[in-house]
Amino acid sequence: MKKVFLAFSAFMSGVGAMYSQQQTDSLKLVKLEEVVVSATRVSRGAPIAYSNLGEVEIKKDNATKNIPYILQNLPSVVSYTEGGTAVGNTALRIRGTDASRINVTLNGMPLNNPESQEVYWVNLPDISNSLQSLQVQRGVGTSTSGTASFGASISMQTAGGKGNKPYADLSSAYGQYNTLLLTGAAGTGIMRNGLSVDARYSYIKSDGYIRNGKVDHKNIYAALSHYSDKQLIRLIYMNGIQHTGITWLGVDPSKIESDRRYNEAGEYEDDNGKTRYYDNETDNYYSNIGQVIYSRYLTNNLTLNANLSYNNGYGYYENYKTGESFADYGLSNQIINGNTHESSDLILRKLMQNDFYVGSFNLDYKVGKFGIIAGTTYSYYDGHHYGRLLWVKQNQNIPNDYEWNRNKAVKQDMNVFLKTEYRPVDNLSLFAEVQERYIDYRMRGLDDDLADLTNKNYYNFVNPKGGISFRFSNYNEIYGSFGISNREPLRADLKESLKGGKTRNIRSERLYDYELGYKYANSIVSFSANFYYMDYKDQLVQTGKLNDVGYKLQENVPDSYRTGVELSLAYTPTEWLRLDGNLTLSRNKIKNYTVYYDLYDNRDDWNKLGQISVFHKSTDISFSPNVVSSFGITFKPFEKEDFTLSFINKYVGKMYYDNTSNPYNRLQDYLVTDMIASYTLDVNKIGKFDFQFFINNLASIKYSANAWVETVKFDDGTEIVYKGLYPQAGANLLGKIRYRF
């Protein structure tokens, strides 16, 4: 018996040691995964306002939504779409800041286009289904690479090896407006040799709500990873193909009541005076993203992370234009059958192609209560813009695919950063970070209006950040932080400032961000309150002012600010009920703002007399509602059945769509409710089947989520106002089936 007992004890000790080793190895792998994005994220207890979403949260209520709509129920987020549904051209604002001011990284490497400083989510179809985690930081945050975080940052991490078992994930969704999603994913898990392979394919098609809001998207994701006890190597490839109908003109308010789905894009009259629409009024883009990720434990305390990224993009949009002047395209008048034509209907393409190279390197050192990350990122962008005429109605001698303009830009961006965290006692955390960023941006060639864009621009920024957080009474935490962010002008700002034969002093912008917060969390309820004051210096806003030859320009306004409070609550009183909500109350103002309007003699002759200006001592910043809120309630009525029913409500207050606080240029507030019913059937040895039913905009509320306006004035005191609104779809249904093992 003694021998048996000793043998059994030895066996159990071996099993325990093996289990302990698996836990240790698993923990090491998790830490290596975290190192990949550590330079662009904050951890628990950091003095930053942030939200985390894991893979389950990203996917659970998502059928065909782009990232902006997956994030729409987070604090201070307002999402909108051109086509009226959550597919196609979608965008978001956070604290009122637009996409060009939101830093986005993918696996720690910059994703924003260096010229527009924006991520066009339509060019990354269904990227959400390739993510394993996502973090949104509000305010300056802790972004260390890419464009400036001027209101928020989004850090995304793609999926890699998922445990030690192979998996498959297939789903299909279909809904109104012929919306269709087909997606399939599979992976080997981490095999005994340390290798794992992950792959996914997505196809999305829809007619859209707005006429011509059609969508035809494809996406491929593949990752090859190798794990060892000390390092992770991952190769990633993403391919996105998007074909989307042009909807960016919006709908004239006079058309809204009679036809909310009207879209004038591609509209023309044929020779018989009949209204027709060009059938290829589309925006198209092809993207290829390749990444190499390398993380390694150098010692027990020191980790290396070195990454490479290459983004290749090619795209164009195609327009039917009516009555276009030949002179605008550098062409002489066309003489046909003895008749001289100064203008013509035509079809044009505006094209772009770019290559974006990124390399990043950082060291992560942790010992005891002290942690430090030091690193650098370098990027090189080579972009081309050019225009071609595909067809000209009145054509005497214009060659096929006539190219009337081409310009090129090269942008180099290099930064070095150092971020530290120190916990002198268990409940106190000190955070500090400093980044130095250098930018070399050069353009040359002709713009689409034949203006010469040749110029060189250099910027050097220092961006410091710091904060402190203190935890007390087990469940409570208070924190405060301060950060500075600097931002260079966009391509559009710089190129328009050059036109007319003289340059203007377009300055970079600066943001001083003050944050103060409180958090409480236990197993039943969590609550947070975050107060912020974002003070902008020389913020660029559109004033309507023209240069010497009539170009509308953006100008630096000396002082503007955003201030508010963000409240969040999650409450689970029972196992069958969960309540989630957030509320942002804010004030967003520009001080000492002057707006300029074109002035004409009368509505018959349209002879320009110049411009007139109107001064505002204080005015609201456009697209910045004072109230933004989200509230969700989730029921799980059956104890033994995996069935949930959720109602998600989004409220967005009134907001102006220009900077004049004109009540006639204001979008009405709206409250939209979505319903989601979910049921999971677990079939032993086969896998799980998920069934979901969505009703978006349950009450069929008629609202517009975005708009634009242009005003011209006449000498007699009258004016004409041109507007475009973006109406959203009423109640619409969608069903989804998912199989996974």
Side-chain angles (χ1 to χ4, degrees):
M1 284 295 293
K2 184 176 181 181
K3 291 182 179 180
V4 173
F5 176 76
L6 291 173
F8 179 75
S9 298
F11 172 76
M12 292 304 294
S13 297
V15 170
M18 183 171 62
Y19 177 70
S20 177
Q21 183 61 43
Q22 287 178 341
Q23 284 189 311
T24 302
D25 292 343
S26 177
L27 185 60
K28 285 183 178 180
L29 295 181
V30 169
K31 287 184 176 180
L32 279 173
E33 293 277 5
E34 292 174 350
V35 167
V36 172
V37 292
S38 61
T40 59
R41 292 193 180 180
V42 293
S43 56
R44 183 178 179 273
I48 303 291
Y50 69 93
S51 301
N52 286 328
L53 293 179
E55 184 175 4
V56 173
E57 296 167 298
I58 293 170
K59 291 183 177 181
K60 71 174 183 178
D61 295 332
N62 175 28
T64 59
K65 295 178 180 178
N66 281 347
I67 291 292
Y69 275 84
I70 291 174
L71 303 182
Q72 69 171 335
N73 295 307
L74 296 182
S76 300
V77 175
V78 175
S79 302
Y80 57 96
T81 176
E82 287 182 5
T85 64
V87 297
N89 276 302
T90 59
L92 79 165
R93 300 185 182 95
I94 302 178
R95 292 185 179 176
T97 60
D98 63 34
S100 69
R101 298 164 183 266
I102 298 173
N103 173 279
V104 182
T105 55
L106 182 67
N107 297 319
M109 288 171 284
L111 198 58
N112 301 67
N113 178 283
E115 290 193 291
S116 67
Q117 299 183 36
E118 186 170 347
V119 170
Y120 298 96
W121 298 106
V122 71
N123 294 338
L124 300 168
D126 202 34
I127 189 176
S128 61
N129 277 314
S130 297
L131 300 181
Q132 72 175 28
S133 67
L134 181 152
Q135 184 177 89
V136 177
Q137 299 171 22
R138 303 184 299 279
V140 166
T142 183
S143 57
T144 51
S145 63
T147 60
S149 174
F150 231 62
S153 58
I154 301 173
S155 169
M156 301 187 296
Q157 184 178 13
T158 56
K162 298 182 179 180
N164 299 319
K165 295 181 180 180
Y167 69 92
D169 193 331
L170 306 173
S171 62
S172 175
Y174 184 78
Q176 284 185 259
Y177 315 117
N178 289 320
T179 300
L180 173 68
L181 166 71
L182 299 172
T183 182
T188 63
I190 303 174
M191 297 179 286
R192 297 184 67 179
N193 59 6
L195 288 173
S196 74
V197 179
D198 301 270
R200 185 184 60 80
Y201 172 79
S202 294
Y203 174 70
I204 302 174
K205 193 175 180 67
S206 178
D207 294 338
Y209 174 68
I210 300 298
R211 187 202 68 80
N212 199 48
K214 55 191 176 183
V215 166
D216 186 354
H217 295 168
K218 300 178 183 68
N219 180 262
I220 294 173
Y221 172 81
L224 173 64
S225 307
H226 181 266
Y227 296 84
S228 68
D229 59 343
K230 290 188 176 182
Q231 72 177 25
L232 162 66
I233 302 175
R234 179 170 294 153
L235 307 179
I236 294 172
Y237 172 69
M238 297 181 67
N239 170 251
I241 300 174
Q242 70 94 352
H243 305 290
T244 308
I246 288 176
T247 51
W248 59 58
L249 297 174
V251 182
D252 189 291
S254 64
K255 298 278 189 180
I256 289 283
E257 292 301 321
S258 59
D259 184 6
R260 287 177 56 82
R261 304 177 69 177
Y262 172 76
N263 177 14
E264 67 177 274
E267 185 178 279
Y268 69 98
E269 289 188 358
D270 64 15
D271 292 337
N272 297 318
K274 185 176 180 178
T275 300
R276 295 189 179 276
Y277 293 93
Y278 180 55
D279 61 4
N280 196 34
E281 193 84 359
T282 58
D283 176 56
N284 309 268
Y285 198 80
Y286 306 82
S287 64
N288 293 278
I289 300 176
Q291 294 186 336
V292 180
I293 295 170
Y294 178 74
S295 293
R296 182 176 178 85
Y297 293 115
L298 299 179
T299 69
N300 290 333
N301 305 111
L302 184 64
T303 308
L304 165 69
N305 187 44
N307 304 324
L308 296 173
S309 176
Y310 170 60
N311 295 11
N312 169 260
Y314 165 76
Y316 65 90
Y317 66 83
E318 192 165 310
N319 280 137
Y320 189 105
K321 296 284 190 178
T322 60
E324 292 289 285
S325 170
F326 288 120
D328 290 342
Y329 297 88
L331 295 168
S332 58
N333 295 337
Q334 300 292 291
I335 302 174
I336 302 173
N337 297 327
N339 297 317
T340 300
H341 299 271
E342 297 180 354
S343 62
S344 173
D345 288 6
L346 53 82
I347 298 171
L348 61 77
R349 273 189 182 179
K350 289 189 176 179
L351 307 97
M352 67 168 302
Q353 58 185 26
N354 56 76
D355 297 285
F356 185 33
Y357 308 86
V358 183
S360 68
F361 172 90
N362 64 71
L363 291 169
D364 187 339
Y365 179 74
K366 288 183 174 65
V367 57
K369 300 176 180 180
F370 179 75
I372 184 170
I373 302 177
T376 181
T377 301
Y378 171 79
S379 68
Y380 180 90
Y381 174 86
D382 182 7
H384 299 258
H385 301 263
Y386 51 106
R388 291 175 177 168
L389 300 183
L390 304 185
W391 171 83
V392 180
K393 185 175 183 179
Q394 309 297 340
N395 189 346
Q396 175 194 10
N397 55 12
I398 303 171
N400 293 334
D401 288 339
Y402 168 74
E403 185 174 294
W404 84 88
N405 83 294
R406 180 180 286 265
N407 59 79
K408 172 182 171 137
V410 171
K411 186 172 185 178
Q412 298 181 78
D413 189 332
M414 185 176 72
N415 74 69
V416 293
F417 69 89
L418 181 70
K419 54 192 295 187
T420 65
E421 185 176 8
Y422 177 53
R423 299 178 185 266
V425 293
D426 290 341
N427 58 349
L428 180 65
S429 177
L430 306 175
F431 169 83
E433 175 186 320
V434 64
Q435 177 205 53
E436 182 169 12
R437 182 169 173 238
Y438 175 77
I439 300 151
D440 181 336
Y441 182 35
R442 309 180 185 199
M443 294 188 288
R444 60 181 173 85
L446 300 181
D447 200 11
D448 56 4
D449 55 6
L450 305 180
D452 185 8
L453 297 182
T454 303
N455 71 104
K456 299 178 182 180
N457 305 275
Y458 309 98
Y459 304 93
N460 190 27
F461 301 133
V462 176
N463 301 313
K465 305 160 192 174
I468 181 173
S469 65
F470 177 69
R471 293 176 298 284
F472 59 96
S473 301
N474 294 326
Y475 305 122
N476 298 273
E477 178 184 343
I478 57 173
Y479 64 86
S481 66
F482 171 73
I484 298 175
S485 182
N486 292 273
R487 176 177 180 264
E488 74 276 18
L490 306 178
R491 172 181 183 268
D493 300 329
L494 292 170
K495 73 186 186 74
E496 296 302 327
S497 72
L498 296 166
K499 296 177 180 179
K502 62 171 68 174
T503 60
R504 289 163 49 253
N505 183 25
I506 290 290
R507 299 182 299 278
S508 60
E509 307 168 75
R510 176 169 292 185
L511 167 62
Y512 300 91
D513 180 34
Y514 306 81
E515 308 272 339
L516 179 64
Y518 166 76
K519 296 178 182 178
Y520 174 87
N522 62 27
S523 59
I524 297 175
V525 62
S526 65
F527 170 78
S528 67
N530 186 75
F531 301 88
Y532 66 89
Y533 181 76
M534 299 165 63
D535 186 15
Y536 295 89
K537 300 301 180 184
D538 293 325
Q539 184 176 190
L540 280 162
V541 300
Q542 191 175 87
T543 63
K545 186 177 181 180
L546 306 184
N547 69 4
D548 295 344
V549 293
Y551 294 99
K552 287 193 173 180
L553 305 169
Q554 288 204 129
E555 297 281 2
N556 295 99
V557 293
D559 292 299
S560 55
Y561 68 89
R562 302 180 186 275
T563 186
V565 57
E566 298 164 323
L567 307 173
S568 297
L569 174 70
Y571 180 46
T572 311
T574 68
E575 293 182 357
W576 57 269
L577 178 65
R578 178 180 172 90
L579 306 175
D580 295 275
N582 58 71
L583 170 67
T584 299
L585 303 173
S586 67
R587 182 177 173 87
N588 311 273
K589 293 288 185 177
I590 303 175
K591 302 176 185 177
N592 302 317
Y593 173 76
T594 302
V595 61
Y596 295 82
Y597 299 98
D598 296 345
L599 181 65
Y600 295 88
D601 55 356
N602 57 68
R603 297 175 185 239
D604 296 322
D605 299 324
W606 285 80
N607 294 313
K608 184 174 287 186
L609 303 179
Q611 286 194 307
I612 60 173
S613 63
V614 178
F615 175 76
H616 298 267
K617 181 67 176 176
S618 178
T619 186
D620 288 87
I621 302 177
S622 60
F623 302 108
S624 302
N626 292 336
V627 182
V628 177
S629 179
S630 176
F631 173 72
I633 180 169
T634 300
F635 300 95
K636 190 176 180 181
F638 309 114
E639 182 178 353
K640 295 184 179 181
E641 297 290 339
D642 194 357
F643 173 79
T644 59
L645 181 65
S646 301
F647 295 89
I648 301 172
N649 306 276
K650 183 70 177 185
Y651 176 78
V652 177
K654 297 178 181 179
M655 57 180 164
Y656 298 98
Y657 46 92
D658 70 356
N659 293 310
T660 65
S661 298
N662 183 343
Y664 294 103
N665 298 336
R666 184 172 64 183
L667 291 172
Q668 293 302 307
D669 59 338
Y670 57 87
L671 173 63
V672 177
T673 301
D674 296 338
M675 188 204 81
I676 306 169
S678 303
Y679 175 69
T680 297
L681 177 64
D682 191 348
V683 181
N684 290 333
K685 298 182 180 180
I686 296 178
K688 294 183 179 181
F689 293 86
D690 299 320
F691 303 90
Q692 288 184 297
F693 180 67
F694 301 80
I695 304 180
N696 300 311
N697 193 1
L698 182 63
S700 204
I701 301 298
K702 293 183 178 180
Y703 70 102
S704 294
N706 199 29
W708 60 267
V709 63
E710 181 179 2
T711 302
V712 296
K713 294 182 178 289
F714 297 93
D715 200 31
D716 61 2
T718 62
E719 65 182 26
I720 295 179
V721 181
Y722 302 97
K723 294 183 179 182
L725 305 179
Y726 298 87
Q728 306 298 288
N732 59 97
L733 314 179
L734 187 139
K736 179 181 177 181
I737 300 175
R738 179 186 179 194
Y739 167 68
R740 54 194 169 98
F741 71 81

